[in-house]
Amino acid sequence: MKKTLITLLALTLLHTGCKEGDFLTKVNPNTITQDTFWKSSSDYQSALTTVYGALQFPTVSGGFRLQCEEVMTDLGGTDSWYPGFTFRILTFNDATQYVNDKWNQLYVGIFRANQVIERVQKTDLPFAKGEKEQIEAQARALRAFFYFDLVQAYGKGVLHTAVPKSAAEMKKPLATKEEITAQVILPDLEYAITNLPQNWTGVDLGRTSKGMAQVLLGKVYLYDKQWNKAAELFKDVIDSKVYSLVNDPMDNFTDRNEMNAESIFEVAFNGTYGTGANAAVVDDTPFTNGAESSDFAAVLAPLPRGGFNTLVPSYFIHELFVNDQMDPANPVNTNRKESLRMYASIFPRRSESPYYQLDNTQTAFFNAFISAYVKKFTNWYQYKNEDPINNKTGINFRHIRLADVYLMYAEAILNARGEAAVDEAIQYIDLVRARAGVITLRKYIADNGGQFPQLHISKQVHGAQPKVAANAANVLTHIQRVERPLELAFEGHRWKDLKRWGIAKQVYDQLRVEETWRINNKALFTANFPPLYIPGSNIRPDFQLASQNYNPANHDYFPIPSIEVQANDNLLDR
């Protein structure tokens, strides 16, 4: 998303005063100021572009978010020398860089959105029919998105709905998650739903839409356990027929079919714009051009292929993909050994796929601890290496896609209607499973006397997977422990899921038991020991300290950054 000169304007909160006659009061006619900007509808569109630009920040849609939030879940592991390790073992604090950066970057987005909303509400400039309302609706949908991310990360925040006009207005006290939701997120999304088109076409693809606002509002209600309201919004999006599952899951994680039929909210990146700028450079740095690219691939790719493998799949998610067995009757599985979503998501040892133009026998770059690498959002399918200098990739990041909506809808109706919703919930789960080429729940149930296996139980450790009845409670567990981690792995949803369900401790404890078994039986592990095929006797201890350290009061939300507390004494009662 190309930047405009409004970037510098958007970062200016206060003006310094000068004595009359001071040469500093002279206006440079070539400089954009508050007085010379906001003179046409195109200025408002340019300002709106900077709000979209904030979506590209590393803690919002980039690799920094991945390695510090996804690594807190059951899906990822890392090494002690990487920044994410403090999140893997849950020792982050109010001075940790990511905790500070995420707060700052979300508030840059909120400030930019507030600037557009405030200006467009007051202006009497002429706009094309509906344009003014659509500009405001887009800015409000984005402000709601930033605030939703903020309250889910910190549990509270400073509530700004207008551009601060003084230092005193900057120093507001903390508001609760409930206050921010009621005063900003809900009204913003309701306005967006009323004033945005169902979807955009052509050069406008990627803008916030009615569908995006409906799904985000549905998530607000889902997280608040207002099941019927959530289900109604999700079903409206499903029934609109605007969106459909793409045939190949890979189309959601590469640059070959971006803004596709499954995509509901997608952040655009460009790997060639801003040549020479590192992907970590963002557009909130004065006098610096942002890279406009993502660093996702650098975070995930292996070291010998230009990345840092800062986040690698946990043994749990690797085995879960293996346990997710192929359906030989599904036509997508002709001559396949891996499901479509496994092929698109991870590169395990003994994979059937090529990887960075190497065939599947050339896996010497696997170290002893790693059983798989992440494929999603990397260029494994087209290049030999990632960009080793600037860590840039142009693959877009999808925040919301239809498969996620199907699974959230199934969850909502099961919670709302219980046993009466089981058949319909399975219908939507199986749409996702059938697309992946794996055995559907209906087939498991038909073949096993009304039961299906608990696929999240490690067969390697426990020998077998108990079968359970197809009731509401067990199907909900399947969504939580199997379907969402498999379908949405490494897409930024998992930590929010674990803590809203209240199962993080349960998950950590189970995986610690399985990890301990592997450590105690490390003599078994050779390059021929299925399903992980880890050579040598080294097992990465991802969950030993996480299980011991986890306390929901300390870890479900990040602390308010210490630098913010130092600057605003109204936050001392945090």
Side-chain angles (χ1 to χ4, degrees), residues 58 65 96 156 172 191 280 298 304 362 377 408 528 539 555:
R65 172 177 183 153
T96 301
K156 58 190 75 172
K172 298 176 70 174
Y191 183 89
Q362 297 171 285
F377 305 114
M408 289 191 293
N528 299 315
I539 302 298
H555 301 119

Side-chain angles (χ1 to χ4, degrees), residues 90 139 174 178 270 275 346 417 553 563:
L90 302 175
L174 287 170
E178 292 73 21
N270 187 309
T275 303
I346 66 170
R417 307 202 304 264
I563 192 170

Side-chain angles (χ1 to χ4, degrees), residues 69-75 88 223 316 480-481 484-485 493-508 511 543 550 556:
E69 289 189 40
E70 202 81 341
V71 78
M72 295 171 69
T73 75
D74 48 355
L75 305 183
R88 173 66 285 163
Y223 285 24
F316 162 74
Q480 294 175 352
R481 304 298 302 279
R484 287 189 67 82
H493 304 287
R494 190 61 177 164
W495 180 242
K496 294 183 181 71
D497 281 348
L498 290 179
K499 68 182 182 181
R500 72 184 174 90
W501 293 325
I503 64 171
K505 176 64 172 172
Q506 174 190 346
V507 166
Y508 286 156
L511 297 186
F543 300 101
Y550 175 69
D556 279 2

Side-chain angles (χ1 to χ4, degrees), residues 344-388:
S345 301
I346 66 170
F347 179 70
R349 294 177 182 271
R350 299 200 173 189
S351 174
E352 71 174 359
S353 80
Y355 190 59
Y356 289 101
Q357 299 184 13
L358 299 174
D359 67 40
N360 58 2
T361 65
Q362 297 171 285
T363 56
F365 52 82
F366 275 94
N367 73 29
F369 296 91
I370 294 176
S371 69
Y373 290 102
V374 180
K375 282 182 174 179
K376 283 185 178 180
F377 305 114
T378 72
N379 290 288
W380 68 271
Y381 58 94
Q382 61 182 346
Y383 300 145
K384 286 186 176 181
N385 297 286
E386 299 294 344
D387 175 0

